[in-house]
Amino acid sequence: MAPRMNYRKAAPGAMRAMNGLETYIADCGLEPSLKELVRLRASQINGCAYCVDMHSLDARAGGESEQRLYAMPVWQETPFFSERERAALLWTEKLTLISIDHVPDEVYEQVRAHFSETELTNLTLLVAAINAWNRFAISFRSEPGHYKPSEH
């Protein structure tokens, strides 16, 4: 599929706003590896080929194992992720698919046990941001295969 338009050029102010979110997220205190897992999982759920490509490359560049990357779609069935990572992945799935059950109280309690209030707020912003990026990339057909981790 060919890209539909260059949304970065079309609305530079929107991109400054999105990049502002990323600047905050970069220094919010969440572990870099956790952030990449969250970005990758939301992108998989949303079917964003560009972002799956980008965040799998970034995760590998950050030292993530192939085994864990391959297991992302079935993370609940594997022993490869810590309890904190599992909580973050659960939160990511529930927020990305929020219309299904609106994040039940038991999910909140389960996730809250692994994150402070500040961390959970920052995790929520991270999930919201990657979902927004997915919508830009999917809607305007960003082409996967050209991203290099050094550009990030």
Side-chain angles (χ1 to χ4, degrees), residues 42-67:
S43 298
Q44 289 171 335
I45 293 166
N46 287 322
C48 185
Y50 180 83
C51 295
V52 166
D53 180 53
M54 172 188 283
H55 296 296
S56 62
L57 291 171
D58 283 344
R60 279 189 199 103
E64 190 58 71
S65 74
E66 296 291 315
Q67 184 179 43

Side-chain angles (χ1 to χ4, degrees), residues 1-23:
M1 287 189 289
R4 290 179 168 158
M5 65 178 225
N6 184 335
Y7 58 87
R8 293 179 183 278
K9 283 186 180 177
M15 294 303 98
R16 279 192 300 277
M18 290 298 295
N19 289 330
L21 288 175
E22 292 300 326
T23 297

Side-chain angles (χ1 to χ4, degrees), residues 25 30 34-35 38-39 122-131:
I25 291 166
L30 294 173
L34 183 76
K35 289 188 279 192
V38 164
R39 289 174 175 135
N122 289 334
L123 179 60
T124 301
L125 180 63
L126 171 63
V127 174
I130 189 56
N131 274 279

Side-chain angles (χ1 to χ4, degrees), residues 5-145:
M5 65 178 225
N6 184 335
Y7 58 87
R8 293 179 183 278
K9 283 186 180 177
M15 294 303 98
R16 279 192 300 277
M18 290 298 295
N19 289 330
L21 288 175
E22 292 300 326
T23 297
Y24 176 82
I25 291 166
D27 295 322
C28 75
L30 294 173
E31 307 91 297
S33 60
L34 183 76
K35 289 188 279 192
E36 288 309 322
L37 292 177
V38 164
R39 289 174 175 135
L40 180 57
R41 186 64 191 125
S43 298
Q44 289 171 335
I45 293 166
N46 287 322
C48 185
Y50 180 83
C51 295
V52 166
D53 180 53
M54 172 188 283
H55 296 296
S56 62
L57 291 171
D58 283 344
R60 279 189 199 103
E64 190 58 71
S65 74
E66 296 291 315
Q67 184 179 43
R68 284 171 34 111
L69 290 175
Y70 297 149
M72 286 296 298
V74 292
W75 65 268
Q76 292 184 24
E77 307 300 322
T78 71
F80 310 140
F81 301 94
S82 71
E83 290 304 312
R84 181 174 165 91
E85 289 168 334
R86 291 166 115 34
L89 292 170
L90 178 61
W91 195 248
T92 300
E93 290 186 0
K94 291 300 183 179
L95 269 61
T96 299
L97 300 169
I98 201 161
S99 67
I100 293 174
D101 59 14
H102 295 106
V103 190
D105 289 340
E106 59 271 12
V107 169
Y108 171 79
E109 294 301 330
Q110 183 179 347
V111 174
R112 181 66 177 89
H114 299 281
F115 293 90
S116 70
E117 288 183 357
T118 300
E119 289 173 327
L120 190 52
T121 301
N122 289 334
L123 179 60
T124 301
L125 180 63
L126 171 63
V127 174
I130 189 56
N131 274 279
W133 283 120
N134 289 166
R135 279 139 183 84
F136 279 107
I138 292 167
S139 298
F140 300 119
R141 295 188 179 156
S142 296
E143 186 178 9

